Amino acid sequence: MQKTFNMMVIDHFGYLVSEYHFWVGKILDHDPDIMLEGFVEFQSPTTVVSVASEWYATEVRFGRIMDDRKFAISAELVHEFLSLTPEQRQIVCSPDPRHKKEARQLIASQQLQYEKREFANGADRRKHELMQHACWIRQYADPFLRGDFSLWLAIHEYKLARMIGEVRQSWKREISRRLVGLSEGRKAVYVREHMFQSDVDYLARLKAKR
């Protein structure tokens, strides 16, 4: 019998249970209506790791158990953050459009890549992707899996600065104005909106709790 996506996840990420004392907190089965092949969430008292297959892509993210899951990050981002020097991170996050090419080259140079090989079928390819992700999480997220989030603030500062830098390097702005109505004098009333407002608010909460 061919293994389902969730069965393969349990196989390759089983070390989270046996070595890091996680447990399986949530499982969602195949749902063609939302292009979901499978989903498994591992939990510990401090950390959550989710493994999902949506739109024919595997996504693995981890975060603090207390937080909204949208603030979880990938092992790829941690690897990028740790591999770049402080000077290189400044270029990646630079608001100057003249740094766009160098910033993209730096990011590409530190991207984790699947090992290239031929696959007999889709299940074989998915198994290989899960093996790679399981290795990356073990290698780059080990402190977080053990409940050590001392780098969490710094990584989220980098993540937000990186997103803003990418926008500004494209000659755009992360702040926009949205029309919300008219005043009694029939004048347009606008509010300022940040493209990454939820990340800005989350970062502020992290800093307030230091």
Side-chain angles (χ1 to χ4, degrees):
M1 183 182 70
Q2 188 178 51
K3 289 188 175 182
T4 65
F5 175 81
N6 288 349
M7 291 167 67
M8 288 190 287
V9 171
I10 298 298
D11 282 349
H12 295 296
F13 287 83
Y15 68 85
L16 292 174
V17 177
S18 61
E19 298 179 30
Y20 292 91
H21 309 297
F22 278 65
W23 60 86
V24 176
K26 186 176 183 179
I27 292 182
L28 296 177
D29 293 322
H30 174 68
D31 188 338
D33 292 336
I34 58 174
M35 301 298 291
L36 178 70
E37 189 177 352
F39 175 89
V40 180
E41 183 176 275
F42 298 89
Q43 299 176 359
S44 77
T46 60
T47 311
V48 59
V49 177
S50 64
V51 186
S53 176
E54 298 176 344
W55 294 92
Y56 307 104
T58 301
E59 182 178 80
V60 181
R61 302 172 71 82
F62 67 91
R64 303 192 309 175
I65 192 72
M66 67 180 74
D67 291 336
D68 189 302
R69 299 301 188 257
K70 67 182 178 182
F71 299 119
I73 61 175
S74 65
E76 294 93 316
L77 179 64
V78 176
H79 172 262
E80 179 184 309
F81 174 81
L82 295 176
S83 300
L84 295 173
T85 66
E87 293 75 20
Q88 289 173 326
R89 290 180 210 145
Q90 287 183 346
I91 294 172
V92 169
C93 301
S94 169
D96 190 340
R98 290 175 296 182
H99 288 151
K100 181 176 181 178
K101 181 178 180 180
E102 187 176 1
R104 301 286 78 78
Q105 289 174 338
L106 284 170
I107 291 173
S109 72
Q110 299 304 332
Q111 283 186 333
L112 293 173
Q113 302 285 345
Y114 294 129
E115 179 186 344
K116 294 183 179 180
R117 50 167 288 191
E118 294 295 325
F119 301 106
N121 50 52
D124 190 30
R125 177 177 58 84
R126 183 71 72 229
K127 176 183 177 181
H128 181 69
E129 291 176 356
L130 288 172
M131 289 174 61
Q132 295 266 260
H133 279 288
C135 289
W136 294 340
I137 285 289
R138 185 197 290 267
Q139 184 172 355
Y140 300 112
D142 177 79
F144 306 99
L145 300 180
R146 300 182 187 279
D148 179 1
F149 284 85
S150 55
L151 280 178
W152 194 244
L153 173 59
I155 292 175
H156 272 275
E157 285 178 325
Y158 171 72
K159 176 190 172 189
L160 178 59
R162 182 184 187 277
M163 292 190 297
I164 293 174
E166 184 175 2
V167 170
R168 291 195 179 184
Q169 287 168 16
S170 298
W171 298 92
K172 298 177 182 179
R173 286 291 178 265
E174 74 279 8
I175 303 294
S176 62
R177 294 199 310 163
R178 179 170 62 89
L179 178 67
V180 294
L182 299 175
S183 66
E184 292 183 3
R186 306 297 295 173
K187 292 185 177 181
V189 177
Y190 294 90
V191 295
R192 288 165 57 86
E193 290 187 332
H194 198 294
M195 188 181 295
F196 310 113
Q197 191 60 56
S198 62
D199 292 277
V200 171
D201 294 340
Y202 179 66
L203 193 56
R205 292 195 296 272
L206 289 177
K207 290 180 177 179
K209 294 179 180 179
R210 281 192 298 182

